[in-house]
């Protein structure tokens, strides 16, 4: 796909020129320290093989303090990159995982366009702690809150003031984007900071992250019952995952009008695919061509969604998608629960934190009291005054009143084969949002599912897309996205050999899905989004 040009400025945003990079070393803002301001020449950085233009890289930190709980020094580290040729826009880049690292502020989204490359001023932060403090920062109450939402609130006025100092005026439009935990940050931003931003783009958003973390640990305990020792990957091997994927494709591939190794008709697939019936059961020993009855029981439980011992739901169910063959799916299901998810719960989401010794995390996960953990993420006390479900999740999740009142727009993109955050959860949220807004949620929020895509990217999928430009067009020109065009990453080694490296598909506004019409089966132009609500005028 061609790289966007910095000169492509839609009506509404006015370009500007950076005045003096080095002078920004003297930028002054409350509780903020600038540590450097240096010019980065054009071409030193690239995106999609194209040079990123000359810009100013400003680094600093704010709100430094010593915790009264663990005596650690905390501060919100950041970098901001301000292009010499500015397009009048500012972008907050929300980062993933447990944060803790100031990722380069390039504003790259979905393997497509880079905000910095097209002329946006971009900020990135560590959300209030260092990587060396992961996950133990969770014992500090303020570090929890910064990670959840307060770092964004503190950094936003700082970033806008830096823009004003660099260009002589503030941004005409402000945007926020991120994937995974960054997608959660973005949806929290749409709820808490809609007065500061005009548009939000969330990818694979873990907006119920505390629930998902507990569910992941619960899943590990299920896998352990059919695994070989402590190696959870043996619970469902690569060959066995392929057996499941083949069964899904056998039933569902052709439902969208084309047999192409993809399942576009996801809702129809849920009706025709039956895991127990369609996946072969072993008559004897496991040999990679079938699943034992015990394995099938565990797989069915995991896909149905985590529950307490009394049957209360902890987190969402997952759809059966052939993308479960990808390496990333296995990593999230079998490796992450023993380390990332168990540490996130043990230090950050549980109240009070269990703070298990880091070398004991796998044992901690496999022996965790799930009923107690499912309650703990909703608890607070005199020290931890907000529960994890309060400081991590968007407070206006099912209405987005502030976003509507401010005239903001939200785009959400999620892969159907995400192994940690379920598209079923995201679809359920969007349906509740639509119902709460008299079936008019698409006036301000649009959701797109990506068949086969794993967590944020990857998998047997067309997982590359330019969404930031569509968001800008919606916010500034009122051109609501009716669909996005997605294409394969030729460097993706998990793509089948018979797929064209030029394959593209439309991503449809939920609940519509892509159906083949006629023409080149490798081209998005040969498909049409169907099954959607009646089209409305652009807003």
């Amino acid at each position: 796909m061609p790289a966007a040009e910095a000169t492509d400025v839609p009506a509404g945003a006015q370009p500007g020129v950076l005045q003096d990079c080095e002078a920004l070393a003297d930028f002054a803002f409350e509780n903020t320290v600038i540590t450097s301001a240096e010019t980065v020449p054009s071409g030193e950085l690239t995106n999609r093989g194209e040079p990123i233009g000359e810009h100013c890289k400003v680094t600093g930190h704010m709100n430094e303090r010593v915790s009264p709980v663990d005596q650690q020094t905390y501060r919100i580290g950041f970098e901001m990159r301000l292009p010499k040729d500015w397009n009048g826009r500012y972008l907050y880049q929300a980062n993933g995982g447990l944060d803790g690292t100031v990722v380069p502020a390039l504003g790259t989204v979905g393997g497509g366009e880079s905000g910095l490359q097209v002329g946006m001023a971009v900020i990135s932060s560590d959300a209030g702690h260092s990587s060396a403090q992961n996950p133990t920062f969770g014992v500090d109450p303020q570090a929890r809150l910064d990670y959840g939402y307060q770092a964004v609130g503190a950094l936003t006025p700082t970033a806008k003031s830096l823009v004003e100092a660099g260009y002589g005026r503030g941004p005409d439009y402000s945007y926020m984007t991120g994937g995974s935990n960054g997608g959660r940050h973005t949806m929290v931003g749409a709820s808490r900071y809609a007065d500061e931003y005009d548009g939000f783009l969330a990818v694979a958003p873990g907006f119920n992250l505390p629930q998902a973390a507990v569910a992941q640990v619960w899943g590990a305990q299920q896998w352990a019952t059919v695994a070989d020792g402590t190696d959870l990957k043996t619970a469902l091997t690569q060959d066995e995952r392929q057996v499941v994927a083949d069964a899904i494709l056998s039933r569902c591939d052709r439902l969208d009008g084309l047999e192409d190794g993809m399942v576009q008709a996801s809702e129809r697939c849920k009706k025709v695919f039956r895991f127990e019936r369609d996946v072969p059961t072993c008559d004897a020993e496991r040999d990679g061509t079938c699943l034992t009855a015990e394995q099938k029981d565990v797989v069915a439980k995991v896909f149905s969604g985590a529950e307490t011992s009394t049957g209360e739901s902890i987190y969402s169910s997952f759809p059966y998608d052939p993308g479960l063959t990808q390496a990333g799916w296995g990593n999230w299901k079998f490796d992450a629960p023993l380390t990332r998810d168990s540490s996130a719960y043990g230090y950050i989401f549980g109240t009070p934190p269990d703070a298990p010794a880091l070398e004991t995390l796998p044992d901690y996960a496999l022996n965790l009291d799930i009923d107690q953990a499912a309650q703990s993420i909703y608890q607070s006390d005199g020290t931890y005054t907000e529960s994890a479900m309060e400081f991590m999740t968007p407070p206006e999740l099912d209405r987005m009143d502030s976003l509507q009142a401010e005239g903001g727009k939200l785009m959400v993109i999620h892969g159907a084969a995400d192994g940690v955050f379920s598209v079923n959860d995201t679809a359920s949220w969007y349906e509740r949002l639509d119902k709460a807004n008299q079936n008019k949620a698409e006036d301000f929020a649009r959701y797109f599912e990506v068949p086969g895509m794993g967590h944020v990217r990857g998998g047997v999928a067309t997982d590359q897309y330019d969404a930031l430009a569509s968001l800008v067009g919606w916010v500034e020109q009122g051109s609501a996205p009716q669909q996005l065009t997605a294409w394969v990453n030729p460097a993706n080694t998990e793509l089948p050999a018979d797929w064209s490296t030029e394959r593209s598909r439309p991503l449809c506004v939920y609940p519509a899905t892509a159906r083949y019409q006629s023409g080149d089966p490798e081209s998005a132009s040969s498909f049409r989004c169907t099954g959607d609500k009646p089209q409305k005028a652009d807003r």
Side-chain angles (χ1 to χ4, degrees), residues 291-310:
L291 273 62
T292 67
E294 292 78 12
Q295 281 181 293
K296 294 181 79 169
D297 181 61
V298 169
V299 172
K301 284 182 179 179
V302 170
F303 275 81
S304 293
E307 294 181 341
T308 67
S309 62
T310 58

Side-chain angles (χ1 to χ4, degrees), residues 472-488:
V472 169
W474 191 12
V475 168
E476 300 181 24
Q477 298 175 329
S479 179
Q482 304 301 330
Q483 65 180 48
L484 302 174
T485 298
W487 63 97
V488 299

Side-chain angles (χ1 to χ4, degrees), residues 32 34 45 170 217 256 271 275-276 313 336 429 437 443 470 475 479 533:
T32 301
I34 300 299
L45 299 176
V217 176
D256 53 24
K271 297 177 182 178
F275 174 75
E276 180 58 38
S313 176
W429 155 74
N437 287 278
D443 291 352
S470 294
V475 168
S479 179
K533 294 183 293 187

